[in-house]
Amino acid sequence: MKVCVIGGGASGMMCATMIARKGHDVTLFEKNEKLGKKIYITGKGRCNVTNATTGNEFLQNVVSGKKFVMGAITRFNSNDTMNFFEEVGVPLKIERGNRVFPVSDKSNDIIKGLEKAMNWAGVKVFLNSNVESVVIEDSLAKSVVVNGEKYDFDRVVVATGGISYASTGSDGAGYEFAKSVGHTVIEPVPALCAIKISGNECKEVEGLSLKNVTLTSKVQDKIVYKSEIGEMLFTSNGISGPIALTTSSYINRVDFSKLKLYIDFKPALSVDALLLRIDRDIADMKAKQVSTLLEGLLPKSMVALFLKRLDVEASMKANQLNREKRKMLVNLLKNYELLPDSLENFNQAVVTAGGVNLKEINPKYMKSKLVSNLYFIGEVLDIDALTGGFNLQLAFATAVTCASDFN
Ligand SMILES: Cc1cc2nc3c(=O)[nH]c(=O)nc-3n(C[C@H](O)[C@H](O)[C@H](O)COP(=O)(O)OP(=O)(O)OC[C@H]3O[C@@H](n4cnc5c(N)ncnc54)[C@H](O)[C@@H]3O)c2cc1C
């Protein structure tokens, strides 16, 4: 059977390999001059290639498409990914949070491993080959147009990725292919990205990293998402860092004019416990200044912002803080409000949420329900997950699931 795979990224290379291993004649078209440009920048150049968790624990890290990917991540789980790379000569190691990296810490080794696997399996790879359209005849994908020329195939796999970091090649072409054959595309939105915050408070503490805090997003007192205890970072115009990135994936479809974010600087202490602690601190400090009290509770660079919100002078004595101000301080420490303005754009979003509508794809083989010899795999689908190696695992798992439809 003649099979076309569009896209030489994580999902495309894995899928092409697996189909070719079954003896089919597989051609992969990649528009860039080299394969795996996005893989190259993953994991800050080290490529967090999968996460050594399976089953429910894995699923907890999938944001959209949990039910849809369940079969795929069971069919090809993180152990299978690890075995695959070890077999093609890329030794791996497991780090904190079950994150898996190549021992070399070089993402290029993951690309080389996939290239080698394709080569061994006999995949024909064409670089600098931009697929312009998928041609449908008699309700089947009959050919693809590449750099102006038409090539015929028996089956076509779309593995063109999302629309984030478009300079790596994923510029949303797959959405157009999907629409052109009658599929609907759930509006793509940035995910795993920084959050811009209104006002200029963030600028005042730019570069400050907060540890052991939580971030809660709410719409009119209803919690949209509450992060785990973790780390976040102030940027010149907003917030970034692990818990902000995770939050972005859960708020990217919420109306920002109704959304508020709250930092809890003391997640391990209840409001009452914190009030008691502050009373005790003030009693111990005798006539010291409020700023000294705050420095004991917060990173130094946050103190000025707290003083402003408390509306007290830095020189005021801590023991002059009345009950109302002490309660206000506790509230600021537990619920420091930030008004989100927008998410960062696609060029700074690690993944794209949204994509080809899962209702129109059979999850057993990642096959279109509209065109029976057309498949969609990887980030082009309306699936996304958190950081930790989960997105690449989804790309590999959907790829292998697709290949399982080829005997
Ligand atoms: C900065 C950054 C860091 C990341 N780090 C991690 C990480 O450490 N771990 C993790 O799990 N995930 C990470 N991700 C996410 C992960 O890289 C993606 O989810 C994954 O690469 C998606 O695989 P894919 O095959 O669907 O798409 P891609 O890897 O984007 O591949 C799509 C390919 O299709 C090609 N293409 C597109 N249109 C056409 C066309 N018309 N004709 C021919 N070719 C075409 C593109 O050039 C591209 O090579 C990161 C992403 C970014 C941006």
Side-chain angles (χ1 to χ4, degrees), residues 55-70 73 186-187 189-193 217 224-228 242-254 343 350-355 358 379 381-395:
N56 275 340
E57 216 183 312
F58 186 99
L59 276 181
Q60 278 164 16
N61 291 278
V62 177
V63 181
S64 319
K66 259 191 215 303
K67 208 166 149 210
F68 180 86
V69 301
M70 215 139 55
I73 62 157
I186 306 298
E187 190 202 350
V189 286
L192 296 180
C193 60
S217 36
V224 176
Y225 176 72
K226 180 171 181 197
S227 80
E228 313 240 299
I243 63 171
L245 294 197
T246 302
T247 299
S248 74
S249 290
Y250 290 97
I251 61 172
N252 51 17
R253 300 215 179 266
V254 177
L343 292 180
V350 171
V351 286
T352 307
L358 303 182
E379 211 178 303
L381 290 165
D382 177 21
I383 56 174
D384 66 287
L386 301 180
T387 55
F390 301 100
N391 284 293
L392 281 171
Q393 181 59 35
L394 287 183

Side-chain angles (χ1 to χ4, degrees), residues 6-12 29-32 34-39 41-44 47-50 101 129-132 159-162 164-165 168-171 173-174 177 349-351 377-380 388-393 395:
I6 311 174
S11 63
F29 293 113
E30 166 56 51
K31 67 195 254 192
N32 287 328
K34 55 183 173 194
L35 296 163
K37 268 196 167 178
K38 185 168 278 175
I39 298 177
I41 60 168
T42 56
K44 300 199 169 97
C47 187
N48 177 191
V49 68
T50 187
F101 293 89
S129 300
N130 182 38
V131 177
E132 288 150 14
T160 46
S164 30
Y165 282 75
T168 62
S170 51
D171 60 1
F177 301 152
V350 171
V351 286
I377 57 172
E379 211 178 303
V380 70
F390 301 100
N391 284 293
L392 281 171
Q393 181 59 35

Side-chain angles (χ1 to χ4, degrees), residues 16-256:
T17 301
M18 293 305 188
I19 298 173
R21 280 182 183 179
K22 294 182 173 180
H24 296 288
D25 176 5
V26 183
T27 302
L28 179 142
F29 293 113
E30 166 56 51
K31 67 195 254 192
N32 287 328
E33 71 292 356
K34 55 183 173 194
L35 296 163
K37 268 196 167 178
K38 185 168 278 175
I39 298 177
Y40 192 74
I41 60 168
T42 56
K44 300 199 169 97
R46 297 169 64 219
C47 187
N48 177 191
V49 68
T50 187
N51 191 285
T53 52
T54 53
N56 275 340
E57 216 183 312
F58 186 99
L59 276 181
Q60 278 164 16
N61 291 278
V62 177
V63 181
S64 319
K66 259 191 215 303
K67 208 166 149 210
F68 180 86
V69 301
M70 215 139 55
I73 62 157
T74 308
R75 180 183 285 279
F76 194 79
N77 66 26
S78 53
N79 292 324
D80 299 314
T81 297
M82 288 189 265
N83 288 337
F84 174 90
F85 283 102
E86 300 272 353
E87 274 167 28
V88 294
V90 185
L92 303 172
K93 58 179 172 178
I94 301 175
E95 294 191 358
R96 185 179 50 89
N98 292 319
R99 290 162 191 248
V100 181
F101 293 89
V103 168
S104 65
D105 283 330
K106 290 194 178 110
S107 57
N108 205 31
D109 286 349
I110 295 294
I111 303 170
K112 279 200 242 160
L114 285 161
E115 281 178 332
K116 195 196 274 182
M118 284 200 294
N119 192 14
W120 286 351
V123 176
K124 295 176 204 154
V125 175
F126 291 86
L127 301 175
N128 299 306
S129 300
N130 182 38
V131 177
E132 288 150 14
S133 60
V134 176
V135 182
I136 304 288
E137 280 171 39
D138 302 327
S139 306
L140 289 174
K142 278 281 164 62
S143 46
V144 294
V145 178
V146 187
N147 298 343
E149 288 205 37
K150 202 164 152 194
Y151 299 88
D152 292 341
F153 291 99
D154 300 308
R155 295 192 193 180
V156 176
V157 181
V158 180
T160 46
I163 199 171
S164 30
Y165 282 75
S167 57
T168 62
S170 51
D171 60 1
Y175 306 144
E176 299 314 312
F177 301 152
K179 285 185 207 160
S180 74
V181 305
H183 278 284
T184 49
V185 169
I186 306 298
E187 190 202 350
V189 286
L192 296 180
C193 60
I195 305 167
K196 292 189 193 168
I197 302 294
S198 304
N200 43 24
E201 267 194 350
C202 294
K203 178 89 191 137
E204 289 179 41
V205 283
E206 183 180 356
L208 172 68
S209 167
L210 299 175
K211 293 197 172 66
N212 299 320
V213 297
T214 64
L215 187 65
T216 302
S217 36
K218 287 186 185 175
V219 171
Q220 283 149 4
D221 291 336
K222 194 165 171 266
I223 294 180
V224 176
Y225 176 72
K226 180 171 181 197
S227 80
E228 313 240 299
I229 296 178
E231 215 175 313
M232 61 173 269
L233 173 80
F234 286 100
T235 65
S236 63
N237 62 356
I239 55 172
S240 185
I243 63 171
L245 294 197
T246 302
T247 299
S248 74
S249 290
Y250 290 97
I251 61 172
N252 51 17
R253 300 215 179 266
V254 177
D255 177 355
F256 269 38

Side-chain angles (χ1 to χ4, degrees), residues 327-346:
K327 282 188 177 165
M328 226 172 127
L329 172 57
V330 170
N331 191 44
L332 284 177
L333 286 163
K334 294 294 290 174
N335 293 293
Y336 194 88
E337 186 181 291
L338 299 172
L339 297 179
D341 190 34
S342 64
L343 292 180
E344 270 298 351
N345 61 34
F346 283 111

